[in-house]
Amino acid sequence: MAHDTTTRGQRHDDATDKTGGAADKPRGDAAGRLDREIAGLDALELGGGIRVRFLQRTWSAVWPMLTAVLIAIAAWQVVVWSGWKDPWVLPGPRDTFPVFWDQITSSRFWHSVALTMQRALIGFAFAIVVGVAIGALVSQFRILRRAFGSLITGLQTMPSIAWFPLAILLFKLSESAILFVVILGAAPSIANGLIAGVDYTPPILLRAGKVMGLRGLGLYRHLIMPASLPSFVAGLKQGWAFAWRSLMAGELLVVIGDTTSLGVLLSQARELNNTADMISYMLVILIIGIVIDRLFGLADASIRRRWGVDEN
């Protein structure tokens, strides 16, 4: 009798467990679906927030530039309306922009841009090598600082076009003459940027690096260069500006065979009195300069974020 009672109790408990498990399973599935839906909504909200912030930051970066462009075009048009110069001497935006569009949609134009950018990048790369080598040596040895510190600054302030008579005598009308002037125009700024960065490296960091066993190239690679990076990037930015100006002057003065570059197109437009073409090429040169400046700006902003000095 007791055995039957125990058996019936066990059957009742088993039935209860089965029904309870069957009841808990739907509740568990519903809870899982609810959790997945909430997670999906959270992800959607987060993604939307990221997109909104990206659009806001993009617009905040773009609208000042657009405003400046519109103001410049309006001022240009006002000068044309004033009658200061004849339209064939100074055409307005309405006459220039169609010519600008025709130029940027031609293959000859892009071949010219490619040649100019190739010269600029090669010259700037050599200028970085020369500038870093000079800056590293001068910043580490006081006797070199006393001997060449003022000379580097003097070379930096010297107009690039003043080097071209010597460059033409040394290299004749060749690519080397242009690269020579581009390197001389950019390297001093790069060297001074590195020297300034090394000078402002906290002495406590240098002592800590030496205690950790950093010497020679290792000290430069792992401590001095990262610490001087903001000033070095500023020197690179200024060096690019000098290199770009030197290159444009060189292409106007040094015409190599039948090669066609932006400077050659600009010179040809001037000789033929095609002012609209000339302004179009000048706009392209300006746009390239602005784009490169924005790239350096992005690099500088990234460095400031990593250093924790940028709140945005």
Side-chain angles (χ1 to χ4, degrees):
M1 186 71 179
H3 176 70
D4 293 341
T5 303
T6 303
T7 302
R8 285 196 300 270
Q10 291 176 349
R11 290 175 182 174
H12 177 73
D13 292 339
D14 293 340
T16 303
D17 292 340
K18 291 180 181 179
T19 56
D24 290 341
K25 186 175 181 181
R27 286 199 299 271
D29 293 342
R33 285 196 300 272
L34 181 61
D35 291 339
R36 288 193 295 270
E37 290 176 359
I38 293 174
L41 290 174
D42 291 341
L44 181 61
E45 182 179 0
L46 179 61
I50 293 175
R51 284 193 294 270
V52 170
R53 287 195 299 271
F54 175 76
L55 292 176
Q56 289 176 346
R57 297 183 65 176
T58 302
W59 174 246
S60 65
V62 168
W63 78 261
M65 298 179 62
L66 291 177
T67 304
V69 169
L70 293 176
I71 292 174
I73 293 175
W76 177 11
Q77 185 62 57
V78 169
V79 173
V80 173
W81 282 337
S82 68
W84 177 55
K85 293 294 182 180
D86 293 331
W88 65 272
V89 176
L90 182 61
R94 182 185 301 179
D95 298 325
T96 302
F97 287 146
V99 176
F100 174 77
W101 177 255
D102 292 337
Q103 294 293 345
I104 65 175
T105 53
S106 65
S107 59
R108 180 172 180 262
F109 168 80
W110 288 110
H111 286 306
S112 303
V113 172
L115 177 59
T116 297
M117 293 306 299
Q118 178 183 346
R119 290 171 173 172
L121 294 177
I122 293 175
F124 188 60
F126 278 109
I128 291 175
V129 174
V130 174
V132 168
I134 294 175
L137 291 173
V138 171
S139 63
Q140 289 301 301
F141 299 99
R142 292 184 178 180
I143 187 170
L144 293 179
R145 174 76 65 91
R146 294 173 182 174
F148 296 104
S150 299
L151 178 60
I152 294 173
T153 304
L155 291 175
Q156 182 180 358
T157 59
M158 187 172 179
S160 300
I161 198 170
W163 289 105
F164 275 103
L166 176 62
I168 293 173
L169 285 176
L170 293 176
F171 303 102
K172 303 186 183 302
L173 297 178
S174 63
E175 296 285 344
S176 300
I178 297 176
L179 292 179
F180 175 76
V181 178
V182 170
I183 293 171
L184 284 177
S189 297
I190 298 172
N192 273 336
L194 180 58
I195 293 170
V198 173
D199 288 345
Y200 283 97
T201 301
I204 190 172
L205 289 181
L206 296 177
R207 290 196 294 268
K210 291 178 181 179
V211 168
M212 296 174 64
L214 294 177
R215 295 290 187 278
L217 292 178
L219 182 66
Y220 245 91
R221 177 185 175 186
H222 298 290
L223 194 149
I224 295 178
M225 283 300 294
S228 61
L229 197 56
S231 296
F232 181 57
V233 171
L236 289 176
K237 183 178 179 180
Q238 190 177 45
W240 168 260
F242 280 105
W244 189 239
R245 291 167 56 185
S246 302
L247 178 61
M248 290 299 102
E251 289 187 344
L252 287 171
L253 294 175
V254 181
V255 179
I256 305 170
D258 58 349
T259 58
T260 303
S261 61
L262 279 177
V264 172
L265 293 178
L266 189 62
S267 179
Q268 290 175 352
R270 178 187 59 82
E271 292 173 356
L272 298 174
N273 290 328
N274 291 333
T275 311
D277 289 348
M278 187 170 61
I279 295 176
S280 298
Y281 299 135
M282 292 172 64
L283 289 175
V284 172
I285 294 170
L286 176 63
I287 291 171
I288 293 175
I290 292 174
V291 170
I292 299 299
D293 178 76
R294 294 302 302 168
L295 293 177
F296 277 111
L298 292 175
D300 182 66
S302 176
I303 292 172
R304 286 188 283 111
R305 282 195 299 270
R306 293 186 63 180
W307 281 49
V309 296
D310 190 358
E311 297 180 356
N312 296 325

